[in-house]
């Protein structure tokens, strides 16, 4: 009996001191928030500092950094493949349709990487920098906070075709978008919650022009778009030209991370077709939109959980991949 009690006490003590963190096991290792506590204690502080300065210079940068993490994770997993420039056999993902003339913020990541290499060389991966910068951008904009599981390593290759095919597009149907999410192990709640990131940032005229003039190939605008809002958009987004003109994804509070995006959808004032279909194409997703529009705390809670889930898509851990010295190119051995 005494031996049993001792064994039970030992088991309980081990449980008590085991890290109560969002740990996720992968081939060759774990992701967990304390990954750099000993190898680079100031890592998160450094990332946050550089991101804060960048967003202070330009509020739009918060959305840009958040988007980079999303566009990275949906292609080959969260491995910083998006950050690689073309060289040798590598064809950069930056040239894909979703990223060309659109993805931005790479200089901020270069600045973060440079600071981390001075602080603790060959330690913090570019993939983890992306995950941390996305979280910090959200918090700085007024959004939720969460512990980021860390320990990702960087890919030694990129996938232009994956970037073209796997990232949801502004004109995709609801079912196509949901299929692309499910392919990554994400579900409907993740889709609607993560779409809420469009509460900050901008989109180009070319991303939604078809809604204004020729939504279904019949020369007519999208009937799900509020007529007054459509008229305002047409003023700066003509039938041709002005492709790069920028428009707020959330015209009510464009730089504040909140649930106004969902309120806009319910008023038929979502900017992108991929936004508005959350209300018009699925009763299940519409129900979530209504819940988030009514309850900002619920949106924040689901968004944080979905960001953690997205950040766990097929990471390289253990001895796989590498820790790049420069996020734009693989290491030379």
């Amino acid at each position: 009996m005494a031996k049993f009690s001792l064994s039970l006490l030992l088991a309980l003590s081990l449980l008590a001191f085991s890290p109560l963190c969002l740990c996720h096991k992968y081939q060759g290792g774990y992701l967990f928030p304390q990954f750099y506590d000993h190898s680079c204690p100031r890592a998160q502080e450094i990332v946050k500092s550089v991101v804060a300065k960048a967003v202070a210079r330009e509020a739009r940068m918060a959305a840009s950094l958040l988007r980079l993490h999303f566009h990275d994770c949906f292609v080959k997993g969260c491995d910083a493949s998006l950050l690689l420039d073309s060289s040798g056999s590598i064809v950069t993902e930056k040239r894909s349709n979703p990223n060309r003339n659109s993805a931005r913020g790479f200089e901020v990541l270069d600045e973060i990487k440079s600071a981390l290499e001075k602080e603790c060389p060959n330690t913090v991966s570019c993939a983890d920098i992306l995950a941390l910068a996305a979280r910090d951008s959200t918090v700085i904009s007024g959004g939720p906070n969460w512990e980021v599981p860390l320990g990702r390593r960087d890919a030694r290759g990129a996938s232009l075709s994956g970037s073209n095919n796997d990232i949801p597009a502004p004109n995709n149907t609801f079912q196509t978008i949901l299929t692309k999410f499910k392919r990554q192990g994400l579900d409907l709640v993740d889709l609607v919650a993560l779409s809420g990131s469009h509460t900050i940032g901008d989109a180009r005229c070319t991303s939604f022009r078809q809604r204004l003039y020729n939504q279904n190939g019949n020369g007519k605008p999208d009937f799900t778009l509020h007529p007054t809002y459509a008229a305002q958009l047409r003023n700066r987004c003509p039938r041709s030209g002005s492709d790069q003109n920028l428009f707020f994804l959330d015209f009510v509070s464009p730089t504040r991370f909140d649930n106004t995006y969902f309120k806009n959808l319910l008023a038929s004032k979502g900017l992108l077709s991929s936004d508005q279909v959350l209300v018009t194409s699925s009763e299940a997703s519409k129900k979530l939109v209504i819940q988030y529009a009514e309850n900002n705390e619920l949106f924040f809670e689901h968004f944080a959980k979905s960001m953690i889930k997205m950040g766990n898509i097929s990471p390289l851990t253990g001895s796989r991949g590498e820790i790049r010295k420069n996020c734009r190119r693989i290491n030379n051995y």
Side-chain angles (χ1 to χ4, degrees), residues 181 185-196 288 292 302 305-307 309-310:
F181 268 73
L186 303 175
D187 59 25
L188 178 67
V189 173
D190 301 315
L191 164 55
V192 180
L194 292 174
S195 294
L288 284 166
Y292 295 157
H302 285 190
K305 287 180 180 177
S306 292
M307 284 296 292
K309 195 171 170 185
M310 186 187 77

Side-chain angles (χ1 to χ4, degrees), residues 251-265:
F251 67 93
V252 177
S253 54
T255 60
R256 180 153 189 84
F257 200 101
D258 56 26
N259 64 342
T260 307
Y261 163 83
F262 297 105
K263 296 176 183 178
N264 293 341
L265 296 187

Side-chain angles (χ1 to χ4, degrees), residues 74-277:
F74 264 63
V75 183
K76 301 193 323 86
C78 306
D79 60 3
S81 61
L82 170 59
L83 304 185
L84 288 170
D85 289 337
S86 292
S87 65
S89 61
I90 296 172
V91 179
T92 182
E93 293 171 16
K94 297 173 185 177
R95 283 168 42 184
S96 70
N97 292 328
N99 294 325
R100 189 173 59 249
N101 299 322
S102 176
R104 59 195 297 277
F106 300 109
E107 297 79 10
V108 177
L109 296 167
D110 291 340
E111 188 180 345
I112 295 170
K113 183 60 176 172
S114 176
L116 286 170
E117 284 299 306
K118 289 176 183 174
E119 177 76 14
C120 34
N122 310 316
T123 303
V124 182
S125 69
C126 300
D128 278 345
I129 292 173
L130 277 170
L132 288 169
R135 188 271 311 276
D136 293 339
S137 294
T138 301
V139 174
I140 289 166
S141 304
N145 197 356
W146 63 91
E147 280 197 307
V148 180
L150 300 166
R152 301 167 190 80
R153 288 166 64 84
D154 300 324
R156 289 181 55 78
S159 176
L160 180 62
S161 61
S163 188
N164 276 321
N165 296 323
D166 296 337
I167 297 172
N171 59 349
N172 279 164
T173 65
F174 173 81
Q175 196 53 53
T176 297
I177 298 168
L178 183 58
T179 297
K180 288 182 177 181
F181 268 73
K182 286 184 173 178
R183 200 183 296 157
Q184 305 295 348
L186 303 175
D187 59 25
L188 178 67
V189 173
D190 301 315
L191 164 55
V192 180
L194 292 174
S195 294
S197 63
H198 285 178
T199 182
I200 56 175
D202 308 89
R204 296 173 298 152
C205 169
T206 185
S207 300
F208 60 88
R209 174 182 282 122
Q210 86 285 346
R211 295 193 72 201
L212 303 178
Y213 302 102
N214 189 27
Q215 175 71 352
N216 297 308
N218 58 3
K220 295 182 179 180
D222 185 350
F223 71 92
T224 69
L225 183 62
H226 193 286
T228 305
Y229 184 45
Q232 292 172 350
L233 296 173
R234 279 192 288 268
N235 286 333
R236 290 186 54 241
C237 187
R239 286 181 182 273
S240 61
S242 303
D243 283 6
Q244 305 304 315
N245 279 2
L246 294 174
F247 295 78
F248 294 132
L249 286 159
D250 169 5
F251 67 93
V252 177
S253 54
T255 60
R256 180 153 189 84
F257 200 101
D258 56 26
N259 64 342
T260 307
Y261 163 83
F262 297 105
K263 296 176 183 178
N264 293 341
L265 296 187
L266 295 174
S268 300
K269 294 181 179 179
L271 183 63
L272 305 178
S273 178
S274 55
D275 294 322
Q276 200 61 51
V277 293

Side-chain angles (χ1 to χ4, degrees), residues 15-37:
L15 185 63
F17 287 102
S18 63
L20 293 174
C21 65
L22 298 161
C23 300
H24 302 268
K25 178 76 167 73
Y26 297 97
Q27 181 184 345
Y30 286 92
L31 294 187
F32 55 98
Q34 300 81 8
F35 189 85
Y36 297 110
D37 280 7

